[in-house]
Amino acid sequence: PDKELERYTLEQDSYETEFRLRAKSGDYHWILSAAKFVEWDEQGHPKVLAGSHMDITDRKKAEITNKQSQKLLDQLFYNSPIGITLVNADGLVQNTNKSFQELFGYTNDEIIGKNLNDSIVPNSMVEQGLKFSNISLTGEAFQSETTRLHKNGKEIPVFVGGVPVELDGEIIAIYGMYVDISERKFLENQIAELLETEKKARIRMQDMFEESPAAIALLEGENHTFTFANGTYKKLVGEADPLGKTVEQVLPELKEQGSVDLLGICYNSGNPMFFNVKKVSLNTGIGGATDDYYLNFIYKPLRDEKDEVYGIFIQAIDVTEQVEARNTIEESLAEKETLLNEVHHRVKNNLAIISGLLELEIMGIEDEKVNKHLISTQSRIYTIAAIHELLYQNESLSHVNFNSYIESVIKNEASLANNEGHKLISNYLLDEVVLNVNQAIPMGMLLNEILDCLRDTSLSGNNKMESTLSLVMSDTNNEVLIELKDPSHNLLSFGEEASGSHTVLRKELIGVLLTQIDGNMMLEDHEHFSSL
């Protein structure tokens, strides 16, 4: 330092510098050194130098601390995730940080010295920008949500704040801080749209419930308080305004019928309940008279976001008219079934009377040929009567088990004197076959004609009823097969019968009956005679 002092004093008449000095104790001190020539010799050369030294260590430490703090502040300013700009009292930009530049697209070279409001405030918000600036110039901070412009003209939703910088009681600058809230605004808009959509859906659902032909109501709480009831429900229960009332208040008659207890079970268990054609009595008549209704309805628990039951959804459909109509139809059907049963019974009785009259005729006529014709006619009448008897004995008045006909008429009554043809069958193998009345009568008559034909064949020549047949009936692929098998090979084929008016009539009758049942008849190898 002394050499420096000498050098400077030779060049000028004063000197001042700072330097660091280590003391005897080993500590370092900052020294402010100053010197000045105060006397010169006759030649004008410096002769006397006056100097001083001052310990400025504390001041130097404070300056260093301030510089460090300023550097930290500058780094915080520049690297802050919040967009920050420094604006002077005239609204001109003095500095911006990195986040501000990224947010609005300006570099410092482009915006420093420019009016901040002219750069980033939309035209529609100029008054707002001036208002914010004036607030800061009064020494007050502010914050608000607003919109600012990117360099490219795109609007950016931001959260803006202003902090005044004060020196000696005067506002010399303003820190403007900006936070991009685009994502939050996007989410808020989405939430708003969802809420609006949910609101519209709720309104549509409410309208749908209101216009539904089914009775719909919502109950909340353990007391089952009405919070919604559509017009159909109000009309059903006869209550114009049930909202805010409990079920017991609106429909006290349901407690005795157990419906309130069912609501409690549904609410406490959390399980839905379904009821079909349940009779419910409601006091909806004149003067509180009770009317009976038949309802299909459900109780469905309502759950909150914690999956806890808070209410019950009720939907009921009034099927009273359908039930009453069904009961009327069933009563009418029962009446018609009774009448039809009576018809079958009367037909059977009338045919039995005719058969009895023929029996009297047979007993009074000695002509064997005439008796033969009468016996054939009696057999046909008996066949029809037997079908009607089975019909009124069955649950169904339109169908008959044909195997039951064969067993009761041909097998069990083969001993009747006038049913000699039936005695030809000795073995039966019958599947269960159900035929309607339009099939059973011609099928029974057809089987009777064939057996009578075989009886005549058996009685002719030398066979003398010694041949026996096996009757097999099966139902295969919706076709009924009846087989008459002749193990003895004694019966002549149908085509070899002697001719005659009686035989011709029987053949024609067999043909007509086959046509009625869409059937076919075949004779195979003279071993069995079959009819389909």
Side-chain angles (χ1 to χ4, degrees), residues 76-334:
L76 178 62
F77 173 84
Y78 187 73
N79 296 313
S80 172
I82 298 174
I84 303 175
T85 182
L86 180 64
V87 182
N88 64 16
D90 295 327
L92 303 179
V93 178
Q94 303 298 301
N95 196 8
T96 63
N97 71 349
K98 181 180 178 181
S99 296
F100 182 93
Q101 296 166 20
E102 292 176 348
L103 179 59
F104 295 106
Y106 289 100
T107 66
N108 268 349
D109 293 340
E110 292 173 325
I111 199 169
I112 288 178
K114 302 288 181 65
N115 186 285
L116 180 65
N117 287 345
D118 293 342
S119 301
I120 66 172
V121 176
N123 293 333
S124 61
M125 296 183 177
V126 172
E127 291 185 5
Q128 183 200 65
L130 293 173
K131 179 182 177 181
F132 288 167
S133 299
N134 292 334
I135 292 174
S136 296
L137 291 174
T138 63
E140 296 182 8
F142 73 88
Q143 57 185 20
S144 177
E145 288 187 11
T146 185
T147 301
R148 291 295 180 257
L149 288 179
H150 189 273
K151 177 183 175 182
N152 61 15
K154 178 183 178 182
E155 291 189 351
I156 304 172
V158 294
F159 186 83
V160 61
V163 178
V165 180
E166 187 176 347
L167 179 62
D168 296 332
E170 182 183 356
I171 306 300
I172 62 171
I174 303 169
Y175 276 114
M177 292 169 285
Y178 301 86
V179 178
D180 186 358
I181 58 173
S182 301
E183 185 174 351
R184 195 193 78 185
K185 280 294 184 182
F186 175 75
L187 293 175
E188 287 179 353
N189 291 335
Q190 278 194 320
I191 292 172
E193 289 177 2
L194 288 174
L195 290 175
E196 184 64 22
T197 301
E198 188 272 339
K199 179 181 177 181
K200 291 179 180 179
R202 186 170 62 251
I203 293 174
R204 284 197 298 269
M205 182 171 292
Q206 185 170 341
D207 291 343
M208 180 182 68
F209 284 167
E210 186 62 41
E211 297 172 2
S212 173
I216 295 175
L218 300 180
L219 309 176
E220 291 190 12
E222 294 182 352
N223 292 328
H224 315 306
T225 302
F226 285 97
T227 58
F228 174 80
N230 69 351
T232 306
Y233 189 93
K234 294 174 184 178
K235 183 178 179 181
L236 176 66
V237 302
E239 175 63 50
D241 187 17
L243 304 187
K245 302 175 184 177
T246 66
V247 171
E248 288 193 45
Q249 291 173 332
V250 176
L251 302 165
E253 62 270 24
L254 292 184
K255 185 171 180 61
E256 296 180 357
Q257 300 174 49
S259 295
V260 177
D261 293 336
L262 293 175
L263 286 172
I265 293 172
C266 178
Y267 186 92
N268 293 323
S269 69
N271 297 322
M273 305 180 76
F274 304 87
F275 305 90
N276 288 323
V277 195
K278 182 175 177 62
K279 183 179 179 181
V280 177
S281 298
L282 301 175
N283 296 335
T284 55
I286 299 176
T290 299
D291 289 331
D292 292 334
Y293 295 88
Y294 292 91
L295 305 175
N296 294 338
F297 62 94
I298 63 171
Y299 293 160
K300 182 174 178 58
L302 301 173
R303 299 179 181 273
D304 57 21
E305 62 277 3
K306 297 180 181 179
D307 200 34
E308 295 179 355
V309 176
Y310 71 89
I312 298 175
F313 171 85
I314 297 177
Q315 177 175 292
I317 299 176
D318 185 1
V319 294
T320 305
E321 291 185 1
Q322 293 91 317
V323 171
E324 291 177 349
R326 184 180 64 195
N327 291 339
T328 301
I329 292 172
E330 288 178 352
E331 291 174 1
S332 175
L333 218 94

Side-chain angles (χ1 to χ4, degrees), residues 337-353:
E337 287 181 352
T338 301
L339 291 175
L340 187 57
N341 188 27
E342 182 65 20
V343 167
H344 285 306
H345 187 60
R346 288 180 181 273
V347 169
K348 180 259 180 184
N349 287 343
N350 290 337
L351 290 174
I353 291 173

Side-chain angles (χ1 to χ4, degrees), residues 6 274 481:
E6 182 179 0
F274 304 87
L481 175 65

